[in-house]
Amino acid sequence: MSVVSISMPEALLERIDEFAEEHGYSGRSEVVREGTRTLFEEFQEQRIEGQKQMCTVTVVFEYCQPAVQERLTRVRHEYDAIVSATTHTHVQDQYCMELYVLQGATEALSGFINSVRAVPNVQAVDYSIASLGDAHIDQRIKS
């Protein structure tokens, strides 16, 4: 097995360690491997060519991070064709929350979600997808 070095905030590393201990994982590597496999499976299952979906995406970040807001605005404009609505609100005195409502092909939704996840200093990204084809709701909520 190959060894890979990754960078992450100390708080996230602590959460991984706590999660591993609470859920009986052998260590950080096992948690990261399973999380990666789950992420790949999640997007593989959604690959339905040409099917229209609607999606809500919730993004949480610290209030004092204007660069995050700027990057999210750029992502929103890049995916303007699929963004139906957005809203911004403050959570407590420390966090901001962006809520996006999207409509479009699965591939475009996945691209938007991946772009948001790649923004540095985002605390959480949660989403829910519903198919417009048969009103089947696919509850995939991940942080």
Coordinates of all heavy atoms in Angstrom, one line a residue, residues 26-117:
S26 N -9.0 1.4 13.2 CA -7.6 1.2 13.6 C -6.8 2.5 13.6 O -5.8 2.5 14.3 CB -7.0 0.1 12.7 OG -6.9 0.6 11.4
G27 N -7.3 3.5 12.9 CA -6.5 4.7 12.9 C -7.0 5.7 11.8 O -8.0 5.4 11.1
R28 N -6.3 6.8 11.6 CA -6.6 7.8 10.7 C -6.7 7.3 9.3 O -7.6 7.6 8.5 CB -5.6 8.9 10.7 CG -5.5 9.7 12.0 CD -4.3 10.6 11.9 NE -4.3 11.4 13.2 CZ -3.2 12.0 13.6 NH1 -2.1 12.1 12.8 NH2 -3.2 12.7 14.7
S29 N -5.8 6.5 8.9 CA -5.7 6.0 7.5 C -7.0 5.2 7.1 O -7.5 5.4 6.0 CB -4.5 5.1 7.3 OG -3.3 5.8 7.4
E30 N -7.5 4.4 8.1 CA -8.7 3.6 7.8 C -9.9 4.5 7.6 O -10.7 4.3 6.7 CB -8.9 2.6 8.9 CG -10.0 1.6 8.6 CD -10.2 0.6 9.7 OE1 -9.5 0.6 10.7 OE2 -11.2 -0.2 9.5
V31 N -10.0 5.6 8.4 CA -11.1 6.5 8.3 C -11.0 7.3 7.0 O -12.0 7.4 6.3 CB -11.1 7.5 9.5 CG1 -12.1 8.6 9.3 CG2 -11.3 6.8 10.8
V32 N -9.8 7.7 6.6 CA -9.7 8.5 5.3 C -9.9 7.6 4.2 O -10.6 7.9 3.2 CB -8.3 9.1 5.3 CG1 -8.0 9.7 3.9 CG2 -8.2 10.2 6.4
R33 N -9.5 6.3 4.2 CA -9.7 5.4 3.1 C -11.2 5.1 2.9 O -11.8 5.2 1.8 CB -9.0 4.0 3.3 CG -7.6 4.0 2.9 CD -7.0 2.6 2.9 NE -7.1 1.9 4.2 CZ -6.2 2.0 5.1 NH1 -5.1 2.7 4.9 NH2 -6.3 1.3 6.3
E34 N -11.9 4.9 4.0 CA -13.4 4.6 3.9 C -14.1 5.8 3.5 O -15.0 5.8 2.7 CB -13.9 4.1 5.3 CG -15.4 3.8 5.2 CD -16.0 3.1 6.4 OE1 -15.2 2.3 7.0 OE2 -17.1 3.3 6.6
G35 N -13.7 7.0 4.0 CA -14.4 8.2 3.5 C -14.2 8.5 2.1 O -15.1 8.9 1.3
T36 N -13.0 8.2 1.6 CA -12.7 8.4 0.1 C -13.5 7.4 -0.7 O -14.1 7.8 -1.7 CB -11.2 8.2 -0.1 OG1 -10.5 9.1 0.6 CG2 -10.9 8.4 -1.6
R37 N -13.6 6.1 -0.3 CA -14.4 5.1 -1.0 C -15.8 5.5 -1.0 O -16.5 5.5 -2.1 CB -14.2 3.8 -0.4 CG -13.0 3.0 -0.8 CD -13.0 1.6 -0.3 NE -13.0 1.4 1.1 CZ -11.9 1.3 1.9 NH1 -10.7 1.3 1.3 NH2 -12.0 1.2 3.2
T38 N -16.4 6.0 0.1 CA -17.7 6.4 0.2 C -18.0 7.6 -0.7 O -19.0 7.6 -1.4 CB -18.1 6.8 1.6 OG1 -17.9 5.7 2.5 CG2 -19.5 7.3 1.8
L39 N -17.1 8.6 -0.8 CA -17.3 9.7 -1.7 C -17.3 9.3 -3.1 O -18.2 9.7 -3.9 CB -16.2 10.7 -1.5 CG -16.2 12.0 -2.3 CD1 -17.5 12.8 -1.9 CD2 -15.0 12.8 -2.1
F40 N -16.4 8.4 -3.5 CA -16.4 7.9 -4.9 C -17.7 7.1 -5.2 O -18.2 7.3 -6.3 CB -15.2 7.0 -5.1 CG -13.9 7.7 -5.2 CD1 -12.7 7.0 -5.0 CD2 -13.8 9.1 -5.4 CE1 -11.5 7.7 -5.0 CE2 -12.6 9.8 -5.5 CZ -11.4 9.1 -5.3
E41 N -18.1 6.2 -4.3 CA -19.3 5.5 -4.6 C -20.5 6.4 -4.7 O -21.4 6.2 -5.5 CB -19.6 4.5 -3.4 CG -18.6 3.3 -3.4 CD -18.7 2.5 -2.1 OE1 -19.6 2.8 -1.3 OE2 -17.8 1.6 -2.0
E42 N -20.6 7.4 -3.8 CA -21.7 8.4 -3.8 C -21.9 9.0 -5.2 O -22.9 9.1 -5.8 CB -21.4 9.4 -2.8 CG -22.3 10.6 -2.8 CD -21.8 11.6 -1.8 OE1 -21.3 11.2 -0.7 OE2 -21.9 12.8 -2.1
F43 N -20.8 9.5 -5.8 CA -20.8 10.2 -7.1 C -21.0 9.2 -8.2 O -21.6 9.5 -9.2 CB -19.7 11.1 -7.3 CG -19.9 12.4 -6.5 CD1 -19.3 12.6 -5.3 CD2 -20.6 13.4 -7.1 CE1 -19.5 13.7 -4.6 CE2 -20.8 14.6 -6.4 CZ -20.3 14.7 -5.1
Q44 N -20.5 8.0 -8.1 CA -20.7 6.9 -9.1 C -22.1 6.6 -9.3 O -22.6 6.4 -10.3 CB -19.8 5.7 -8.8 CG -19.9 4.6 -9.9 CD -19.3 5.1 -11.2 OE1 -18.4 5.9 -11.2 NE2 -19.9 4.6 -12.3
E45 N -22.8 6.4 -8.1 CA -24.2 6.1 -8.1 C -25.1 7.1 -8.8 O -26.2 6.9 -9.3 CB -24.7 5.8 -6.7 CG -24.2 4.6 -6.1 CD -24.6 4.4 -4.6 OE1 -25.4 5.2 -4.1 OE2 -24.1 3.5 -4.0
Q46 N -24.6 8.4 -8.7 CA -25.4 9.5 -9.3 C -25.2 9.7 -10.8 O -25.9 10.5 -11.4 CB -25.0 10.8 -8.6 CG -25.4 10.8 -7.1 CD -24.9 12.1 -6.5 OE1 -24.7 13.1 -7.1 NE2 -24.8 12.1 -5.2
R47 N -24.3 9.0 -11.4 CA -24.0 9.2 -12.8 C -25.1 8.6 -13.7 O -25.0 7.5 -14.2 CB -22.7 8.5 -13.2 CG -21.5 9.1 -12.4 CD -21.1 10.3 -13.1 NE -20.0 10.9 -12.3 CZ -19.7 12.2 -12.4 NH1 -20.3 13.0 -13.2 NH2 -18.7 12.7 -11.7
I48 N -26.2 9.3 -13.9 CA -27.3 8.9 -14.7 C -27.3 10.0 -15.8 O -27.7 11.1 -15.6 CB -28.6 8.9 -14.0 CG1 -28.5 7.9 -12.8 CG2 -29.8 8.5 -14.9 CD1 -29.6 8.0 -11.8
E49 N -26.8 9.6 -17.0 CA -26.7 10.5 -18.1 C -28.0 11.2 -18.4 O -29.0 10.6 -18.6 CB -26.2 9.7 -19.4 CG -24.8 9.2 -19.3 CD -23.8 10.3 -19.1 OE1 -23.9 11.4 -19.8 OE2 -22.8 10.2 -18.4
G50 N -27.9 12.5 -18.5 CA -29.0 13.3 -19.0 C -30.2 13.5 -18.0 O -31.1 14.2 -18.3
Q51 N -30.1 12.9 -16.9 CA -31.2 13.0 -15.9 C -31.2 14.3 -15.2 O -30.1 14.7 -14.7 CB -31.2 11.9 -14.9 CG -32.4 11.9 -14.0 CD -32.5 10.7 -13.1 OE1 -31.7 9.8 -13.2 NE2 -33.6 10.6 -12.3
K52 N -32.3 15.0 -15.1 CA -32.3 16.3 -14.4 C -32.5 16.1 -12.9 O -33.3 15.2 -12.5 CB -33.5 17.2 -14.9 CG -33.3 17.7 -16.3 CD -32.5 18.9 -16.3 CE -32.4 19.5 -17.7 NZ -31.9 20.8 -17.7
Q53 N -31.9 16.9 -12.1 CA -31.9 16.8 -10.7 C -32.1 18.2 -10.1 O -31.8 19.2 -10.7 CB -30.6 16.2 -10.1 CG -30.1 15.0 -10.7 CD -30.8 13.7 -10.1 OE1 -31.4 13.8 -9.1 NE2 -30.7 12.6 -10.8
M54 N -32.7 18.2 -8.9 CA -32.7 19.4 -8.1 C -31.9 19.1 -6.9 O -31.8 18.0 -6.4 CB -34.0 20.0 -7.8 CG -35.2 19.1 -7.7 SD -36.7 20.0 -7.4 CE -37.1 19.4 -5.8
C55 N -31.2 20.2 -6.3 CA -30.3 20.0 -5.2 C -30.2 21.2 -4.3 O -30.3 22.3 -4.8 CB -28.9 19.7 -5.8 SG -27.6 19.4 -4.7
T56 N -30.1 21.0 -3.0 CA -29.8 22.0 -2.1 C -28.4 21.8 -1.6 O -28.1 20.6 -1.3 CB -30.8 22.1 -1.0 OG1 -30.8 20.9 -0.3 CG2 -32.2 22.5 -1.5
V57 N -27.6 22.8 -1.5 CA -26.3 22.7 -1.0 C -26.1 23.7 0.1 O -26.4 24.9 -0.1 CB -25.2 23.0 -2.1 CG1 -23.8 22.8 -1.5 CG2 -25.4 22.0 -3.2
T58 N -25.7 23.3 1.3 CA -25.5 24.2 2.5 C -24.0 24.2 2.8 O -23.4 23.2 2.9 CB -26.3 23.7 3.7 OG1 -27.6 23.5 3.4 CG2 -26.1 24.6 4.9
V59 N -23.5 25.4 2.9 CA -22.1 25.6 3.1 C -21.9 26.5 4.4 O -22.5 27.5 4.5 CB -21.4 26.3 1.9 CG1 -19.9 26.5 2.1 CG2 -21.7 25.6 0.6
V60 N -21.1 26.0 5.3 CA -20.8 26.8 6.5 C -19.3 27.1 6.6 O -18.5 26.3 6.3 CB -21.2 25.9 7.7 CG1 -20.9 26.7 9.0 CG2 -22.6 25.5 7.7
F61 N -19.1 28.4 6.9 CA -17.7 28.9 7.1 C -17.7 29.9 8.2 O -18.7 30.5 8.5 CB -17.1 29.4 5.8 CG -17.9 30.5 5.1 CD1 -17.6 31.8 5.3 CD2 -19.0 30.2 4.3 CE1 -18.3 32.8 4.7 CE2 -19.7 31.2 3.7 CZ -19.4 32.5 3.9
E62 N -16.5 30.2 8.7 CA -16.3 31.2 9.7 C -16.6 32.6 9.2 O -16.2 32.9 8.1 CB -14.9 31.1 10.4 CG -14.7 29.9 11.2 CD -13.5 30.0 12.1 OE1 -13.4 30.9 12.9 OE2 -12.6 29.1 11.8
Y63 N -17.2 33.4 10.0 CA -17.7 34.7 9.7 C -16.5 35.6 9.3 O -16.6 36.4 8.3 CB -18.4 35.4 10.9 CG -18.8 36.8 10.7 CD1 -20.0 37.0 10.0 CD2 -18.2 37.9 11.2 CE1 -20.5 38.3 9.8 CE2 -18.6 39.1 11.0 CZ -19.8 39.4 10.3 OH -20.2 40.6 10.1
C64 N -15.4 35.5 9.9 CA -14.2 36.3 9.6 C -13.4 35.9 8.4 O -12.2 36.1 8.4 CB -13.4 36.5 10.8 SG -12.7 34.9 11.4
Q65 N -14.0 35.2 7.4 CA -13.3 34.7 6.3 C -13.8 35.3 5.0 O -14.5 34.6 4.2 CB -13.4 33.1 6.2 CG -12.8 32.4 7.4 CD -11.3 32.4 7.3 OE1 -10.7 32.4 6.2 NE2 -10.6 32.3 8.4
P66 N -13.5 36.5 4.7 CA -14.0 37.1 3.5 C -13.5 36.5 2.2 O -14.2 36.5 1.2 CB -13.6 38.6 3.5 CG -12.5 38.6 4.5 CD -12.7 37.5 5.5
A67 N -12.4 35.9 2.2 CA -11.8 35.2 1.1 C -12.7 34.0 0.7 O -12.9 33.7 -0.5 CB -10.4 34.7 1.3
V68 N -13.3 33.3 1.7 CA -14.2 32.2 1.4 C -15.4 32.7 0.7 O -15.8 32.1 -0.3 CB -14.6 31.5 2.7 CG1 -15.6 30.4 2.5 CG2 -13.4 30.9 3.4
Q69 N -16.0 33.8 1.2 CA -17.2 34.4 0.5 C -16.9 34.7 -0.9 O -17.7 34.5 -1.8 CB -17.7 35.6 1.3 CG -18.9 36.2 0.7 CD -20.1 35.4 0.9 OE1 -20.4 34.8 2.0 NE2 -20.9 35.3 -0.1
E70 N -15.7 35.3 -1.1 CA -15.3 35.7 -2.5 C -15.2 34.5 -3.4 O -15.7 34.5 -4.5 CB -14.0 36.4 -2.4 CG -13.5 36.9 -3.8 CD -12.2 37.7 -3.7 OE1 -12.0 38.5 -2.7 OE2 -11.3 37.4 -4.5
R71 N -14.6 33.4 -2.9 CA -14.4 32.2 -3.7 C -15.7 31.5 -4.0 O -16.0 31.0 -5.1 CB -13.5 31.2 -3.0 CG -12.0 31.6 -2.9 CD -11.2 31.3 -4.1 NE -11.1 29.9 -4.5 CZ -10.2 29.0 -4.2 NH1 -9.3 29.4 -3.3 NH2 -10.3 27.8 -4.6
L72 N -16.6 31.5 -3.0 CA -18.0 30.9 -3.2 C -18.7 31.7 -4.2 O -19.5 31.1 -5.0 CB -18.7 30.8 -1.9 CG -18.2 29.8 -0.9 CD1 -18.9 30.0 0.5 CD2 -18.3 28.4 -1.4
T73 N -18.6 33.0 -4.2 CA -19.2 33.9 -5.2 C -18.7 33.5 -6.6 O -19.5 33.4 -7.6 CB -19.0 35.4 -4.9 OG1 -19.6 35.6 -3.7 CG2 -19.7 36.2 -6.0
R74 N -17.4 33.3 -6.8 CA -16.9 32.9 -8.1 C -17.4 31.5 -8.5 O -17.8 31.4 -9.7 CB -15.3 32.8 -8.0 CG -14.7 34.2 -8.2 CD -13.2 34.1 -8.4 NE -12.6 34.7 -7.3 CZ -11.5 34.3 -6.7 NH1 -10.9 33.2 -7.0 NH2 -11.0 35.0 -5.7
V75 N -17.5 30.6 -7.6 CA -18.1 29.3 -7.9 C -19.5 29.5 -8.4 O -20.0 28.9 -9.4 CB -18.0 28.3 -6.8 CG1 -18.8 27.0 -7.1 CG2 -16.5 28.0 -6.5
R76 N -20.3 30.2 -7.6 CA -21.7 30.5 -8.0 C -21.8 31.1 -9.4 O -22.7 30.6 -10.1 CB -22.3 31.4 -6.9 CG -23.8 31.6 -7.0 CD -24.1 33.0 -7.6 NE -25.6 33.2 -7.6 CZ -26.3 33.0 -8.7 NH1 -25.8 32.5 -9.8 NH2 -27.6 33.2 -8.7
H77 N -21.0 32.0 -9.7 CA -21.0 32.6 -11.1 C -20.6 31.6 -12.1 O -21.1 31.6 -13.2 CB -20.2 33.9 -11.1 CG -20.9 35.0 -10.4 ND1 -22.1 35.6 -10.8 CD2 -20.5 35.7 -9.3 CE1 -22.4 36.5 -9.9 NE2 -21.4 36.6 -9.0
E78 N -19.6 30.8 -11.8 CA -19.2 29.8 -12.8 C -20.3 28.8 -13.1 O -20.4 28.3 -14.3 CB -18.0 29.0 -12.2 CG -17.4 27.9 -13.1 CD -16.3 27.2 -12.4 OE1 -15.7 27.7 -11.5 OE2 -16.0 26.1 -12.9
Y79 N -21.1 28.5 -12.2 CA -22.3 27.6 -12.3 C -23.6 28.3 -12.4 O -24.6 27.7 -12.1 CB -22.3 26.5 -11.2 CG -21.1 25.5 -11.3 CD1 -19.9 25.8 -10.7 CD2 -21.3 24.4 -12.1 CE1 -18.9 24.9 -10.9 CE2 -20.3 23.4 -12.2 CZ -19.1 23.7 -11.6 OH -18.0 22.8 -11.7
D80 N -23.6 29.5 -12.9 CA -24.8 30.3 -13.0 C -26.0 29.6 -13.7 O -27.1 29.8 -13.3 CB -24.5 31.7 -13.6 CG -25.6 32.7 -13.4 OD1 -26.0 32.9 -12.3 OD2 -26.0 33.3 -14.4
A81 N -25.7 28.8 -14.7 CA -26.7 28.2 -15.4 C -27.6 27.2 -14.6 O -28.7 26.9 -14.9 CB -26.1 27.4 -16.6
I82 N -27.0 26.7 -13.5 CA -27.7 25.7 -12.7 C -28.2 26.2 -11.3 O -28.9 25.6 -10.6 CB -26.9 24.4 -12.5 CG1 -25.7 24.6 -11.7 CG2 -26.6 23.7 -13.8 CD1 -25.0 23.3 -11.2
V83 N -27.7 27.4 -11.0 CA -28.1 28.0 -9.6 C -29.4 28.7 -9.8 O -29.5 29.7 -10.5 CB -27.0 28.9 -9.1 CG1 -27.4 29.5 -7.8 CG2 -25.7 28.1 -8.9
S84 N -30.4 28.2 -9.1 CA -31.7 28.9 -9.1 C -31.9 30.0 -8.1 O -32.5 30.9 -8.3 CB -32.8 27.8 -8.9 OG -32.8 26.9 -9.9
A85 N -31.2 29.7 -6.9 CA -31.4 30.7 -5.8 C -30.2 30.5 -4.8 O -29.6 29.4 -4.7 CB -32.7 30.5 -5.1
T86 N -29.9 31.6 -4.1 CA -28.9 31.5 -3.0 C -29.4 32.4 -1.9 O -30.2 33.3 -2.1 CB -27.5 32.0 -3.4 OG1 -27.6 33.4 -3.8 CG2 -26.9 31.2 -4.6
T87 N -29.0 32.0 -0.7 CA -29.2 32.9 0.5 C -28.1 32.8 1.4 O -27.3 31.8 1.4 CB -30.6 32.5 1.2 OG1 -30.9 33.4 2.2 CG2 -30.5 31.1 1.8
H88 N -27.9 33.9 2.1 CA -26.7 34.0 3.1 C -27.3 34.3 4.4 O -28.2 35.2 4.5 CB -25.8 35.1 2.6 CG -24.6 35.3 3.6 ND1 -23.4 34.7 3.4 CD2 -24.5 36.1 4.7 CE1 -22.6 35.0 4.4 NE2 -23.3 35.9 5.2
T89 N -26.9 33.7 5.4 CA -27.3 34.0 6.8 C -26.2 33.8 7.8 O -25.2 33.1 7.5 CB -28.6 33.1 7.2 OG1 -29.1 33.6 8.4 CG2 -28.2 31.6 7.3
H90 N -26.4 34.4 8.9 CA -25.4 34.2 10.0 C -25.9 33.2 11.0 O -27.0 33.3 11.4 CB -25.1 35.6 10.7 CG -24.5 36.6 9.7 ND1 -24.8 37.9 9.7 CD2 -23.6 36.4 8.7 CE1 -24.1 38.5 8.8 NE2 -23.4 37.6 8.1
V91 N -25.0 32.4 11.5 CA -25.3 31.4 12.5 C -24.5 31.7 13.7 O -23.2 31.7 13.6 CB -25.0 30.0 11.9 CG1 -25.3 28.9 13.0 CG2 -25.7 29.7 10.6
Q92 N -25.2 32.0 14.8 CA -24.5 32.5 16.0 C -23.7 33.7 15.7 O -24.1 34.4 14.8 CB -23.7 31.4 16.6 CG -24.5 30.1 17.0 CD -23.6 28.9 17.3 OE1 -22.4 28.9 17.1 NE2 -24.2 27.9 17.8
D93 N -22.7 34.0 16.3 CA -21.8 35.1 16.0 C -20.6 34.8 15.3 O -19.8 35.6 14.9 CB -21.5 35.9 17.3 CG -22.6 36.6 18.0 OD1 -23.6 36.9 17.2 OD2 -22.6 36.7 19.2
Q94 N -20.4 33.5 15.0 CA -19.1 33.0 14.5 C -19.2 32.5 13.1 O -18.2 32.5 12.4 CB -18.6 31.9 15.4 CG -17.2 31.4 15.1 CD -16.8 30.3 16.0 OE1 -17.5 30.0 17.0 NE2 -15.6 29.8 15.8
Y95 N -20.3 32.1 12.6 CA -20.4 31.4 11.3 C -21.3 32.1 10.3 O -22.3 32.7 10.7 CB -20.9 29.9 11.5 CG -19.9 29.1 12.3 CD1 -20.2 28.9 13.6 CD2 -18.7 28.6 11.8 CE1 -19.4 28.1 14.4 CE2 -17.9 27.9 12.5 CZ -18.2 27.6 13.9 OH -17.3 26.9 14.6
C96 N -21.0 31.9 9.0 CA -21.9 32.2 7.9 C -22.4 31.0 7.3 O -21.7 29.9 7.3 CB -21.2 33.1 6.9 SG -20.7 34.7 7.5
M97 N -23.6 31.0 6.7 CA -24.1 29.8 6.0 C -24.6 30.3 4.6 O -25.4 31.3 4.6 CB -25.3 29.2 6.8 CG -25.8 27.9 6.1 SD -27.1 27.2 6.9 CE -28.5 28.2 6.4
E98 N -24.2 29.6 3.6 CA -24.7 29.9 2.3 C -25.6 28.7 1.9 O -25.2 27.5 2.1 CB -23.6 30.0 1.2 CG -22.7 31.2 1.3 CD -23.3 32.4 0.8 OE1 -24.2 32.3 -0.1 OE2 -22.9 33.5 1.2
L99 N -26.8 29.0 1.4 CA -27.7 27.9 0.9 C -27.9 28.1 -0.6 O -28.2 29.2 -1.0 CB -29.0 28.0 1.6 CG -30.1 27.0 1.1 CD1 -29.7 25.5 1.4 CD2 -31.4 27.3 1.7
Y100 N -27.6 27.1 -1.4 CA -27.8 27.2 -2.8 C -28.9 26.2 -3.3 O -29.0 25.1 -2.7 CB -26.5 26.7 -3.6 CG -25.3 27.6 -3.2 CD1 -24.5 27.3 -2.2 CD2 -25.0 28.7 -4.0 CE1 -23.4 28.0 -1.9 CE2 -23.9 29.5 -3.7 CZ -23.1 29.2 -2.6 OH -22.0 29.9 -2.3
V101 N -29.7 26.6 -4.2 CA -30.7 25.7 -4.8 C -30.3 25.6 -6.2 O -30.2 26.6 -7.0 CB -32.2 26.3 -4.7 CG1 -33.2 25.4 -5.4 CG2 -32.5 26.6 -3.2
L102 N -30.1 24.3 -6.7 CA -29.6 24.0 -8.0 C -30.6 23.2 -8.8 O -31.3 22.4 -8.2 CB -28.3 23.3 -7.9 CG -27.2 23.8 -7.0 CD1 -26.0 22.8 -6.9 CD2 -26.7 25.2 -7.4
Q103 N -30.6 23.3 -10.1 CA -31.3 22.5 -11.0 C -30.4 22.2 -12.2 O -29.9 23.1 -12.8 CB -32.6 23.1 -11.5 CG -33.7 23.3 -10.5 CD -34.9 23.9 -11.1 OE1 -35.2 23.7 -12.2 NE2 -35.7 24.6 -10.3
G104 N -30.3 20.9 -12.6 CA -29.5 20.6 -13.7 C -29.2 19.1 -13.8 O -29.6 18.3 -13.0
A105 N -28.3 18.8 -14.7 CA -27.8 17.4 -14.9 C -26.9 17.0 -13.7 O -26.3 17.9 -13.1 CB -27.0 17.3 -16.2
T106 N -26.9 15.8 -13.5 CA -26.1 15.2 -12.3 C -24.7 15.7 -12.4 O -24.1 16.0 -11.4 CB -26.2 13.7 -12.3 OG1 -27.6 13.3 -12.2 CG2 -25.5 13.1 -11.1
E107 N -24.1 15.6 -13.6 CA -22.7 16.0 -13.8 C -22.4 17.4 -13.3 O -21.4 17.7 -12.7 CB -22.3 15.8 -15.2 CG -22.3 14.3 -15.6 CD -23.7 13.7 -15.9 OE1 -24.6 14.5 -16.1 OE2 -23.8 12.5 -16.0
A108 N -23.3 18.3 -13.7 CA -23.2 19.8 -13.3 C -23.3 19.9 -11.8 O -22.5 20.7 -11.2 CB -24.2 20.6 -14.1
L109 N -24.3 19.2 -11.2 CA -24.4 19.3 -9.7 C -23.2 18.8 -9.0 O -22.7 19.4 -8.1 CB -25.6 18.5 -9.3 CG -27.0 19.0 -9.9 CD1 -28.1 18.1 -9.3 CD2 -27.3 20.4 -9.6
S110 N -22.7 17.7 -9.5 CA -21.4 17.1 -8.9 C -20.3 18.1 -9.1 O -19.5 18.3 -8.1 CB -21.1 15.8 -9.6 OG -22.1 14.9 -9.3
G111 N -20.2 18.8 -10.2 CA -19.1 19.7 -10.4 C -19.2 20.9 -9.4 O -18.2 21.3 -8.9
F112 N -20.4 21.4 -9.2 CA -20.7 22.5 -8.3 C -20.2 22.1 -6.9 O -19.5 22.8 -6.2 CB -22.1 22.9 -8.3 CG -22.4 24.1 -7.4 CD1 -22.3 25.4 -7.8 CD2 -22.8 23.8 -6.1 CE1 -22.6 26.4 -6.9 CE2 -23.1 24.9 -5.2 CZ -22.9 26.2 -5.6
I113 N -20.7 20.9 -6.4 CA -20.5 20.4 -5.1 C -18.9 20.2 -4.9 O -18.4 20.6 -3.9 CB -21.2 19.1 -4.8 CG1 -22.7 19.4 -4.7 CG2 -20.7 18.5 -3.5 CD1 -23.6 18.2 -4.8
N114 N -18.3 19.6 -5.9 CA -16.8 19.4 -5.8 C -16.1 20.8 -5.7 O -15.1 20.9 -5.0 CB -16.3 18.6 -6.9 CG -16.8 17.1 -6.8 OD1 -17.0 16.7 -5.7 ND2 -16.9 16.4 -7.9
S115 N -16.5 21.7 -6.5 CA -15.9 23.1 -6.5 C -16.0 23.7 -5.1 O -15.1 24.4 -4.6 CB -16.5 23.9 -7.6 OG -16.2 23.4 -8.9
V116 N -17.2 23.6 -4.5 CA -17.5 24.2 -3.2 C -16.6 23.5 -2.2 O -16.0 24.1 -1.3 CB -19.0 24.2 -2.9 CG1 -19.2 24.5 -1.4 CG2 -19.7 25.1 -3.7
R117 N -16.5 22.2 -2.2 CA -15.7 21.4 -1.3 C -14.2 21.8 -1.4 O -13.5 21.7 -0.4 CB -15.9 19.9 -1.5 CG -17.1 19.3 -1.0 CD -17.2 17.9 -1.3 NE -18.2 17.2 -0.5 CZ -18.8 16.1 -0.9 NH1 -18.4 15.4 -2.0 NH2 -19.8 15.6 -0.2

